[in-house]
Structure formats: C-alpha cells, structure tokens
Amino acid sequence: MPSKPSNRRSLRVTAGVTGSLALAASLTACGGSASSADSKGGEKVVTVYSADGLKSDKGDGWYDKVFAEFTKKTGIEVKYVEGGSGEMVQRAVREKTNTQADVLITLPPFIQQADGKGLLQAYKPQGSEKVNGADKAADGKWTSVVNNYFGFVYNKKELAEAPKTWEELLDPKFKGKLQYSTPGVAGDGTAVLIKAMHDFGGKEQANEYLKKLQANNVGPSSSTSKLAPKTDKGELLVANGDVQMNFAQSKSMPNLGIWFPAKDGGKPTTFALPYAAGLVDKAPHTENGKKLLDFMLGEEAQKLVSEVGGGFPARTDVKPTDANAVELTKIMTGVEIFEPDWTDIDKNLTAYVDAWKSATGS
C-alpha cells in the first residue's frame, strides 16, 4: 500500500490546496459545479482534520492530487489540518461548541472514539456500497477512504535482513536504536499495543514483553511518520509505522525496509489500519463535506490510491495494476491478517493504554 508521505509535522494548516494536477478528465464527480456553494453561509470551502500520511511535503501525495482536482472541479477550497489520530479527535472535541472541521479522517480505533464522543453524523458517500462491511460503520458514521496495514520498518543498510520476531528486538544491539510512537496518541502507536496483545495472547502478556522492550526504546513520540527518516539515516534501526506511509516514504528513503514481527515460533501478522473518514456533526460546511467524501471514494480517485499514495483502495471493485500495486502485493505475501475486536478496543482503550503506561513507566 503505497506511501504515507512526508515527515509528520506538528499540527499545521494548509489552506487552499489547489492547482490543476491532472488526475483524469473526469474524476468521479461529487455532484457539484464550480458555481455551487454550501447551503450554510454559501462559503466555497471545506475543512479536513486528518491523521498524517496521505499528504506529501513535496505536494505529490494522494491528498495533494485529489484535493487539487476537487477544487478544480467544484471551486471548493480545501483547508487541511494534520496531526496524530488522537490529536485530531481531541481537537474536534475541544471545538464541539464551535465546530471548525467538516470532515474528520483518522485511523482506528480513533474513528470509533470520535463516533462515541458524538463528533460524527451519518452520511453514506457515493461508492461506499463498494467498501467492505468491516471497513465502514453500518450506520454510515464513517467509511474507509484508503486501506492500509500496520507494520514496522528497519534500516536495510545497517541490518543484513529484517528482524523476524518480537523477541529479536530485545537484543542489546537495538538499545537506543529502536522507537515506537505513543499508544493512545498516535494511531500507529496504538497499533503496536493492539498487535502485541494479539500476538502474545492478551494485555498482561503484551505488557510483560513491552516492559522488557523498554530497555531498548528511545522513548515516546507523538508522531509515527518522523520515525522513518530517522530509520533511513541509521539513527534508528527499527521503528513502527504502516505499509502505506512507509511504502511512500521508501521512494525517497532508500534504506527503508518494511517488515512484520511474529511471536517466536509463529507467523508474521498484521491487521488493517485504514484511513476512515466521517462527516463532522454540525459541520459548518456540511454539503461541501459530503461532496468531498463522494469525491474521495470516486472510482478515479480510488485508482490513484496505490499509484500516488502507496496505499490500497477502499473500494473492492477498484483493482489497480500499477507497479506500486504489484510491489505492495509482494510485501503482504505470507503475512497473516487478523481482525481486531474494535468494539472492545474502543470500550477499553483507556484501560489498555493506562496498563501500558504502568508497565513501561511511560
């Protein structure tokens, strides 16, 4: 799944992602024209709060191209705010009495958390009927727009081959050379905890391992995407990430390799970690938010997910054959994919994170 471009910068706003990037003469329409205006206030603007990974500092990410084409076709300007999944949800919570965002895009379990906090309103975008049931809410509160999988990265120059097991990471050679983003703050960091709980057979067993791993861990990081550049440079040997982001980053980071830890004696595993989008409740530009969601799930935009973004299309009827798609298939070959109990994780996330903090002294 192609890339999650760029370093994750601290919260930033990018206004007016415009330009005439050629996606295709007719990216699936979002039912509007350049003369259309939102029903609330008539402003031709839509504000997106999103987890990092789909926008590139170089301007060549999936968001960059799709947002630019959306603006070109509708006249609606996209204002973009980026941060960790948990950060974005908390920001939306703080603004609940004065809503600023129209569309919220985060990784699980934070999209479920956003729904539980009453931040989302039901809307089933055009094309969402082609998204697997596990990748969308039955009530229409959120729908995946880009599929993705959790993973790790390693430095291919410093390590002859990727580690194979969690247990290998306890080797003293990784002391000060290993880092993972913070569970409860970063979506990919939370994924470390979820995968460890699955692979080791429960919360206690996972935290027993992660307590040992702390001897090698550099320390907390609210951002996952900034760990890949450190790994590419050799400052780190191993870090967490996700396939889409890291695949995209690897195009400009030649030492970056993707791998999936296994428990000693077991198979490498991962789970889907999609970018899930929801329409914000009481959004200032609800109609424009609907149009953008329709557009992102349009067939042509979905075809660009692997080619441009390094990810996997959310729509099952879109099957790209570009070089990135072929390479991504190879990366995922032989990896066992499990499905987390997101209902349980959403309900108990605070308790799981607190247990991790206690075990690791974080």
Side-chain angles (χ1 to χ4, degrees):
M1 164 182 204
S3 91
K4 232 182 185 176
S6 86
N7 285 5
R8 194 197 131 219
R9 19 298 145 185
S10 53
L11 277 194
R12 77 177 187 192
V13 178
T14 304
V17 183
T18 59
S20 57
L21 294 149
L23 278 190
S26 62
L27 266 165
T28 314
C30 51
S33 66
S35 62
S36 67
D38 189 79
S39 59
K40 283 188 177 183
E43 291 183 286
K44 295 200 299 192
V45 66
V46 60
T47 298
V48 176
Y49 283 10
S50 178
D52 56 307
L54 292 173
K55 192 177 188 304
S56 170
D57 283 340
K58 297 179 180 179
D60 57 358
W62 189 70
Y63 275 165
D64 300 283
K65 296 200 172 186
V66 172
F67 290 171
E69 189 68 14
F70 174 75
T71 298
K72 179 182 175 183
K73 287 185 171 295
T74 66
I76 298 170
E77 175 189 16
V78 179
K79 293 187 176 180
Y80 178 73
V81 181
E82 179 181 89
S85 289
E87 289 179 87
M88 292 294 88
V89 172
Q90 289 308 311
R91 177 164 178 161
V93 168
R94 292 195 300 270
E95 297 171 350
K96 204 169 179 182
T97 58
N98 182 28
T99 308
Q100 301 297 308
D102 302 300
V103 173
L104 178 66
I105 304 175
T106 75
L107 306 181
F110 295 98
I111 195 67
Q112 291 90 341
Q113 185 183 85
D115 186 17
K117 293 180 180 295
L119 294 176
L120 307 177
Q121 60 175 300
Y123 178 65
K124 296 182 179 180
Q126 296 172 25
S128 61
E129 71 279 0
K130 301 293 186 181
V131 176
N132 273 329
D135 297 327
K136 62 186 177 184
D139 62 1
K141 292 293 186 64
W142 56 267
T143 305
S144 297
V145 291
V146 171
N147 274 342
N148 192 9
Y149 295 92
F150 175 66
F152 272 67
V153 291
Y154 74 104
N155 182 294
K156 295 191 293 185
K157 183 179 180 181
E158 299 294 332
L159 298 176
E161 60 180 9
K164 291 182 173 59
T165 67
W166 288 103
E167 287 81 1
E168 286 182 56
L169 300 182
L170 299 177
D171 190 301
K173 74 179 181 182
F174 291 109
K175 185 175 179 61
K177 292 286 188 175
L178 176 152
Q179 190 173 18
Y180 62 92
S181 52
T182 308
V185 176
D188 291 324
T190 305
V192 172
L193 186 55
I194 292 171
K195 178 170 156 58
M197 288 169 60
H198 171 271
D199 289 358
F200 287 96
K203 178 181 71 175
E204 289 75 16
Q205 298 93 320
N207 283 323
E208 182 181 347
Y209 167 80
L210 292 171
K211 180 179 181 179
K212 295 176 183 177
L213 186 65
Q214 200 67 6
N216 289 342
N217 186 19
V218 170
S221 172
S222 62
S223 162
T224 306
S225 60
K226 72 180 182 182
L227 302 183
K230 291 182 179 181
T231 305
D232 179 65
K233 293 173 185 176
E235 295 175 26
L236 298 173
L237 294 177
V238 171
N240 70 309
D242 62 66
V243 178
Q244 177 275 326
M245 173 178 69
N246 296 142
F247 184 83
Q249 290 173 316
S250 70
K251 298 302 181 182
S252 59
M253 300 178 192
N255 298 321
L256 210 61
I258 297 172
W259 68 290
F260 305 90
K263 187 177 183 301
D264 194 21
K267 295 180 179 180
T269 68
T270 189
F271 61 96
L273 205 58
Y275 291 88
L279 187 65
V280 177
D281 188 45
K282 299 181 179 63
H285 312 101
T286 294
E287 294 306 312
N288 291 347
K290 290 178 179 179
K291 290 172 184 176
L292 180 60
L293 289 171
D294 289 347
F295 198 80
M296 288 193 290
L297 271 180
E299 188 173 348
E300 293 302 324
Q302 286 289 299
K303 285 179 180 177
L304 289 175
V305 169
S306 59
E307 180 183 345
V308 174
F312 304 84
R315 287 179 55 155
T316 58
D317 62 331
V318 175
K319 302 184 185 300
T321 57
D322 58 89
N324 282 350
V326 172
E327 194 172 345
L328 286 166
T329 298
K330 291 179 180 178
I331 288 173
M332 300 301 299
T333 300
V335 182
E336 186 178 279
I337 298 172
F338 66 91
E339 186 174 324
D341 184 344
W342 291 116
T343 301
D344 170 76
I345 293 166
D346 179 40
K347 179 181 178 182
N348 297 299
L349 180 61
T350 299
Y352 291 152
V353 171
D354 286 346
W356 168 82
K357 289 178 179 177
S358 178
T360 61
S362 299

